[in-house]
Amino acid sequence: MLIALGTVLGGIGLFLIGMMLLTDGLKQSAGDKLDLYLHRSTNTKRRGFFSGFLLTALVQSSSVVTVATIGFVNARLLSMGQAVWVVFGSNVGTTMTAWIVALIGFKVQVQLFALPMVGVGAFLQVLGRGARWRALGSALTGFGLLFVGLDFLQGSMSAYQDQLLFLDEGAFDVPHVLLLLALGFLLTVIMQSSSASMAMILTLVNGGLIPLSLGAAAVIGANVGTTSTALLATLGATANAKRVAWAHVAFNITAGFAASLLLPLVSGLFTEAYNRQLMGGNAAFWLAIYHSLFNLAGVMIMIPLEPRVTRFLSRRFGKRESAHL
């Protein structure tokens, strides 16, 4: 068990380092183009949403996009109405991590693909001429480490499966649903990365350690747990930063509510599809669908609610804003 725990921690660490290198490398290689694209592509709510989605899917970090958005709001280059839609799109963009893990994360042969990516990326970082080549090397190294970390996680789960906690389909009841909700939330709060917690949850489900229905509950918790990062970022921040962060909280709570309503669907329809070996019996695939589905449901719910949310937040934190002007 100690070896399994150490391997799990190492796998999570490699995944987190990979995420950081990938995000920083892509951001540095893009340079000012990232900010320029965000500024030019948010003049309408629809464009703001798709900009948030595309940029987050690209750099694999909603934090980078949210921080840039807050900067534009503080500089009065974006209105609150535009900024919140960038944040909403960014939340949907985070679902791409689940799709990467589900479609290729457990299928990549580390020795053939991931480790060579790490090696080539490292050589580019050391020998590359110019900051852009070194940044691309960092991104390539990070992308390879993502799969190395996933391989460690998967190996640790499968090697010690009989010694770890195992929950079968009969465990789908209110206490276990609440337990897995809390687990997903705490994993994201502790690691400050919904991508890492999603990878952990998908690995547990794909390894058969927890059933698909309870894995879906953990996904809800992980999605809501991302609000902790936004709230931590507003400590001592301006009023506009707080407003954008609380828009992020409002969206995730709304999406979490929608996900809870959809949970019986997952425990029935998706579990049946998984048990029938549809899509090759890939449990992570069905959780990725679920993650995307309830975030899109959150967007649909927020379409009529967003003007009210924006007006409500615009009336909050006024004194703090005056102090910064």
Side-chain angles (χ1 to χ4, degrees):
M1 285 297 293
L2 289 176
I3 296 175
L5 179 61
T7 308
V8 168
L9 289 175
I12 293 172
L14 286 171
F15 189 90
L16 286 171
I17 291 171
M19 286 296 303
M20 288 187 289
L21 288 173
L22 177 62
T23 299
D24 292 341
L26 289 173
K27 184 181 178 184
Q28 290 171 20
S29 64
D32 295 334
K33 292 181 180 179
L34 183 68
D35 292 344
L36 184 63
Y37 174 82
L38 184 61
H39 175 51
R40 288 181 175 178
S41 304
T42 54
N43 54 349
T44 67
K45 294 178 181 180
R46 182 180 300 176
R47 288 186 177 183
F49 173 82
F50 283 108
S51 295
F53 171 80
L54 290 173
L55 288 174
T56 302
L58 174 65
V59 302
Q60 285 295 294
S61 174
S62 59
S63 299
V64 170
V65 178
T66 301
V67 168
T69 303
I70 289 173
F72 282 124
V73 173
N74 283 335
R76 300 184 184 278
L77 297 175
L78 285 182
S79 67
M80 274 295 299
Q82 293 170 309
V84 296
W85 280 101
V86 176
V87 171
F88 296 165
S90 180
N91 276 279
V92 178
T94 60
T95 63
M96 293 304 297
T97 301
W99 283 108
I100 290 173
V101 174
L103 296 178
I104 62 176
F106 296 120
K107 300 176 182 178
V108 169
Q109 295 185 32
V110 171
Q111 293 82 357
L112 291 179
F113 297 101
L115 289 179
M117 276 193 283
V118 174
V120 172
F123 278 116
L124 283 175
Q125 284 181 280
V126 175
L127 304 176
R129 295 183 178 181
R132 179 160 295 180
W133 280 106
R134 290 193 294 271
L136 287 174
S138 176
L140 188 60
T141 301
F143 196 60
L145 284 177
L146 285 179
F147 300 116
V148 175
L150 282 173
D151 187 68
F152 269 91
L153 280 174
Q154 188 177 26
S156 64
M157 298 301 176
S158 59
Y160 295 90
Q161 181 171 335
D162 295 336
Q163 303 176 36
L164 296 172
L165 176 65
F166 182 83
L167 298 173
D168 58 24
E169 292 293 343
F172 185 70
D173 51 28
V174 174
H176 283 100
V177 167
L178 293 177
L179 176 65
L180 268 296
L181 276 168
L183 175 64
F185 180 85
L186 288 175
L187 282 174
T188 303
V189 171
I190 292 171
M191 294 188 286
Q192 286 298 292
S193 171
S194 61
S195 298
S197 59
M198 281 295 299
M200 184 73 177
I201 294 165
L202 293 177
T203 304
L204 288 170
V205 175
N206 225 52
L209 298 173
I210 57 175
L212 178 65
S213 53
L214 290 178
V219 168
I220 299 174
N223 204 71
V224 177
T226 60
T227 59
S228 64
T229 305
L231 292 177
L232 284 173
T234 63
L235 294 177
T238 65
N240 282 325
K242 291 179 183 292
R243 289 166 183 155
V244 174
W246 279 101
H248 176 71
V249 172
F251 177 87
N252 279 275
I253 291 176
T254 301
F257 177 75
S260 300
L261 296 179
L262 291 170
L263 192 56
L265 171 67
V266 174
S267 63
L269 182 61
F270 282 15
T271 300
E272 180 65 22
Y274 168 61
N275 291 335
R276 289 178 178 271
Q277 296 291 304
L278 297 182
M279 297 305 299
N282 184 357
F285 171 83
W286 297 105
L287 284 182
I289 288 182
Y290 177 61
H291 192 206
S292 301
L293 187 62
F294 74 70
N295 272 285
L296 289 173
V299 172
M300 298 304 294
I301 295 171
M302 290 302 295
I303 288 176
L305 293 181
E306 179 271 322
R308 298 181 182 180
V309 172
T310 300
R311 286 195 298 269
F312 174 80
L313 291 174
S314 297
R315 294 194 295 266
R316 297 297 179 270
F317 315 112
K319 294 181 180 179
R320 175 64 59 89
E321 183 177 43
S322 299
H324 284 272
L325 292 177

